Amino acid sequence: MSARRSDGSGIVVIGLGRFGCHLASALTRMDREVLAIDRDPDQVQRFSTQLDRVVQADATEEGALRQLGVTSFDRAVVAIGASVEASVLSVLTLVELGLPQIWARATSQKHAKILSSVGAHHVVFPEAETGDRVAHLIVSRLLDFIEFDDDFAIATVRVPQSLAGRTLLDLRPEERYGVRVIAAKVPGERFRYASDDTELPQGGVLVVEGGIDQVQRFAGRR
């Protein structure tokens, strides 16, 4: 396996069911450090050759997660779907450990409410999402993301601070960044189609299209 980033951009994935394994694999392909955790030794063995670091552990046990170094990660995803109890307790344990970003899989609206109430920052429904899409959202500044093929996407992004107040005619995003701004939204108003005269609103949101890497770089501008 190639060396992964060690700059705090790693992600803990708890639960290696269908969603969890696809998510962990997608993050690995994006060159992210992944710590995958599952209590089932068969699942751990199955994915030990596909992922950099797969560990058998009970994610509801705070001591076990501390021993694995989970507190050194900024983000974790609780991908458990088979047991609501294990899912909720794992999120609660991560909250107790103080992780800044906790993503959790929900299997129902009631499950989602409980996850949010115990401290999950983001709740996803993988039956309506794909592991790849969620992976892009987790590691980037994209607000939403739709991938159409291997190298094209439409996404919603916050207006980069350094570009606020400039018009599209002045900015020429297609030439400079390889993306096209389709629409812009001023806080408190609805989206409007973009034109050369559109001024990028402070604190606003844009709909942009372009190559996946270009869209992510544009979204990541400060």
Side-chain angles (χ1 to χ4, degrees):
M1 295 281 185
S2 61
R4 304 292 173 192
R5 300 182 183 183
S6 57
D7 57 0
S9 61
I11 298 101
V12 179
V13 177
I14 297 172
L16 288 175
R18 181 179 299 179
F19 173 67
C21 72
H22 283 298
L23 175 62
S25 297
L27 290 167
T28 299
R29 290 195 301 272
M30 296 167 68
D31 200 32
R32 299 287 169 163
E33 178 190 2
V34 175
L35 168 60
I37 301 172
D38 198 288
R39 65 169 57 180
D40 185 345
D42 292 334
Q43 287 294 87
V44 171
Q45 179 64 31
R46 178 183 175 188
F47 294 106
S48 61
T49 60
Q50 301 177 37
L51 302 170
D52 285 345
R53 190 178 173 200
V54 188
V55 180
Q56 180 189 354
D58 184 349
T60 68
E61 295 290 336
E62 183 176 333
L65 296 188
R66 283 191 183 277
Q67 190 172 4
L68 291 173
V70 167
T71 54
S72 66
F73 289 78
D74 289 335
R75 287 161 289 189
V77 184
V78 177
I80 300 170
S83 169
V84 172
E85 180 183 4
S87 166
V88 172
L89 290 177
S90 295
V91 168
L92 192 56
T93 303
L94 293 170
V95 171
E96 292 293 324
L97 291 174
L99 265 72
Q101 286 193 48
I102 302 169
W103 295 65
R105 171 193 181 180
T107 56
S108 68
Q109 290 295 338
K110 284 187 177 180
H111 187 191
K113 273 189 173 182
I114 297 171
L115 291 170
S116 295
S117 68
V118 298
H121 305 106
H122 308 275
V123 176
V124 297
F125 292 83
E127 288 74 13
E129 310 272 3
T130 67
D132 289 72
R133 176 174 177 271
V134 175
H136 280 288
L137 294 177
I138 292 172
V139 303
S140 72
R141 293 177 178 272
L142 303 177
L143 301 177
D144 206 351
F145 173 89
I146 301 174
E147 183 177 352
F148 289 91
D149 58 30
D150 290 339
D151 193 34
F152 187 81
I154 292 180
T156 52
V157 305
R158 296 200 184 279
V159 174
Q161 183 69 27
S162 60
L163 306 181
R166 300 179 64 179
T167 67
L168 292 179
L169 181 62
D170 172 50
L171 191 60
R172 298 191 300 278
E174 292 182 69
E175 297 177 21
R176 293 187 181 182
Y177 308 109
V179 301
R180 179 186 175 197
V181 177
I182 302 173
K185 182 180 184 298
V186 175
E189 298 184 12
R190 62 182 179 84
F191 276 104
R192 299 183 185 277
Y193 287 115
S195 66
D196 285 347
D197 296 327
T198 296
E199 184 177 292
L200 302 191
Q202 179 82 29
V205 176
L206 307 176
V207 179
V208 301
E209 66 177 13
I212 294 171
D213 289 342
Q214 286 79 11
V215 168
Q216 289 189 328
R217 279 197 294 271
F218 180 79
R221 289 185 58 87
R222 297 288 185 177

